[in-house]
Amino acid sequence: MYNIEQYKLDEIIDANSLQDIQDKYSKLTNLSTITVDRHGVPVIKPSNFSKYCSLIRTSKEGYRRCITCDAMGGLQSSKLKKPIIYRCHAGLTDFSAPIVVNDIHFGSMLCGQVIVKENNTRDSIDLEKISSELYLPLDKLKSALNEINIVEYEKVKNSADFMYMFANLIAKMGVANIAHSKLLEETKEKMKFQQLARDIQIKSIQAQINPHFLFNTLNTMASMSLLENSSNTVDLIYALSDILRYSLRNSDKMVNISTEIKNIEKYLYIQNVRFRDKLDYKIDVSSDVMDCKIPAMTLQPIIENAVIHGIEPKKQPGKVSIISKIVSEKYIAFKIEDNGVGMNPEKLQSLKDKINSSGEDDSNINIGIQIVQDRIKYYFGSQYGIDIKSSPNEGTTVYIKIPLVF
């Protein structure tokens, strides 16, 4: 579910549209207008700014005071959830219309830069003090102040109320558009995952449990049954049946890491019998992660690739290892390593490109890893997934990053 608080004002309302709204409002009311974020920083260009305020902001200290004043006005109006009218640090009357959606303050539209007829006059503004503190020429301040409009309080109040209603209507429409877009994205992701789950079930033998592996396992069992009477064969059959059952029953589920490891142990047991002295393996998964959750069939396709594409083509014996650790108490890092034939840089880059795209690929190695990558990102987000390193004749290492989920 998306978090509305992560969005900025100019992401909710398109900046060009916001500028157009602000310009037209300022022209309609003849009021200076500026839109700021929740920190008082302008998000678009000011409209109809007075010479007086523009001059004030040429001073570094004056600009700082304007930003602080705008932020305070916006914050106060957001707390009250209504527009407020106030005098700025330079003596003019402004009003702040907060932009609040679902009780979240995104910013404010600030208008005014006027003198209110009923409240003050130009003479009530201490220009000498402002000139001294901001290092601005007194004569320029006086000239600019003389151009400031004097308006009635009722006009300021009505303008503030109108701006509040209008700005929030536009913001709510923007938030609704974001919610609609996110809903569409989530629906597409769910549909993609549902199709992925169906593909895993339909193609489980060819994608998750490679046909090559299944064919050779059956041959091995048949050969052994002729030579002995026949406990090892029974163990192989049970192991294979358990793997098939695990794949078909859990293809779209989350399981404990301990359950996934047990399945891998059965897979490696079968391959160890098949390859005899050619395959060695090591599983070093710490007990503190065994109760954590992981999408079923996350590790097994990676192990299968290591054996079939790494160790099997190698003339000498090979080894596969699985290591895990918890990093910063935030996520689990798996390292699946083989000392097989490896890949050259071009093949490695091609594999990385394919598994990080949504396109289909006919090779079993790409299908298996891409399915794992897609499922991890679906369950946990784009910051998690797979990385691969490999060197020719040295082997391949696959890194898997998933969050700590119990």
Side-chain angles (χ1 to χ4, degrees), residues 206-207 210-212 305 309 361-369:
Q206 68 177 164
N210 196 289
H212 180 70
N305 285 333
H309 301 284
D361 190 280
D362 293 333
S363 63
N364 286 325
I365 180 172
N366 291 347
I367 291 174
I369 298 178

Side-chain angles (χ1 to χ4, degrees), residues 240-401:
L240 179 58
S241 298
D242 287 344
I243 291 174
L244 286 167
R245 188 179 301 111
Y246 178 79
S247 172
L248 294 172
R249 287 184 177 178
N250 299 297
S251 61
D252 59 348
K253 296 179 181 178
M254 297 276 283
V255 297
N256 289 343
I257 288 176
S258 60
T259 304
E260 182 85 350
I261 294 299
K262 288 177 183 177
N263 187 63
I264 289 170
E265 288 173 340
K266 292 170 183 175
Y267 172 83
L268 288 172
Y269 162 71
I270 293 173
Q271 291 287 37
N272 186 255
V273 172
R274 176 186 161 217
F275 286 112
R276 297 186 182 276
D277 296 330
K278 188 176 180 180
L279 175 65
D280 187 20
Y281 64 87
K282 173 187 176 183
I283 299 177
D284 185 14
V285 177
S286 55
S287 58
D288 54 353
V289 306
M290 287 297 193
D291 291 332
C292 295
K293 298 292 185 181
I294 191 172
M297 302 297 290
T298 293
L299 303 178
Q300 192 271 336
I302 311 300
I303 302 296
E304 182 179 341
N305 285 333
V307 174
I308 301 302
H309 301 284
I311 304 302
E312 185 172 355
K314 185 177 179 178
K315 294 181 180 179
Q316 299 81 18
K319 182 176 181 179
V320 177
S321 64
I322 311 165
I323 302 170
S324 75
K325 66 177 180 179
I326 295 177
V327 181
S328 304
E329 298 184 354
K330 292 182 179 179
Y331 65 88
I332 305 169
F334 285 97
K335 179 181 178 182
I336 299 174
E337 187 174 26
D338 69 72
N339 62 349
V341 296
M343 290 176 276
N344 60 42
E346 292 77 16
K347 185 175 181 180
L348 175 62
Q349 188 58 52
S350 176
L351 176 60
K352 286 185 174 183
D353 291 342
K354 287 173 181 175
I355 67 171
N356 286 310
S357 71
S358 58
E360 295 184 357
D361 190 280
D362 293 333
S363 63
N364 286 325
I365 180 172
N366 291 347
I367 291 174
I369 298 178
Q370 184 175 328
I371 286 173
V372 173
Q373 179 83 313
D374 287 346
R375 297 178 81 211
I376 290 174
K377 292 186 180 300
Y378 173 83
Y379 276 110
F380 304 126
S382 59
Q383 67 269 43
Y384 300 100
I386 295 172
D387 189 26
I388 307 172
K389 295 183 179 180
S390 187
S391 298
N393 303 316
E394 293 185 13
T396 301
T397 303
V398 177
Y399 300 92
I400 302 176
K401 177 182 176 182

Side-chain angles (χ1 to χ4, degrees), residues 7-20 22 33-47 49 57 63 67 70 99 105-110:
Y7 289 93
K8 298 178 181 178
L9 179 58
D10 55 359
E11 294 173 319
I12 291 174
I13 308 174
D14 174 70
N16 292 330
S17 300
L18 186 59
Q19 185 74 62
D20 187 49
Q22 179 184 281
T33 311
I34 187 169
T35 304
V36 300
D37 64 18
R38 56 174 65 96
H39 305 294
V41 178
V43 295
I44 54 175
K45 295 178 181 179
S47 303
F49 241 44
R57 290 187 179 224
Y63 182 80
I67 293 296
D70 290 347
I99 301 174
H105 177 221
F106 290 99
S108 303
M109 294 196 79
L110 307 170

Side-chain angles (χ1 to χ4, degrees), residues 21-29 95 111 159 162-163:
I21 292 168
Q22 179 184 281
D23 290 343
K24 288 180 178 177
Y25 174 83
S26 182
K27 185 176 181 179
L28 178 67
T29 61
F95 65 83
C111 302
S159 297
F162 174 79
M163 176 52 71

Side-chain angles (χ1 to χ4, degrees), residues 1-4 6-7 11-12 101-102 106 171-187:
M1 183 64 180
Y2 80 104
N3 180 10
I4 189 178
Q6 69 182 328
Y7 289 93
E11 294 173 319
I12 291 174
V101 182
N102 297 342
F106 290 99
K172 287 176 182 178
M173 291 171 62
V175 169
N177 286 336
I178 290 174
H180 180 66
S181 298
K182 289 298 177 182
L183 180 60
L184 286 177
E185 287 179 16
E186 291 174 4
T187 301

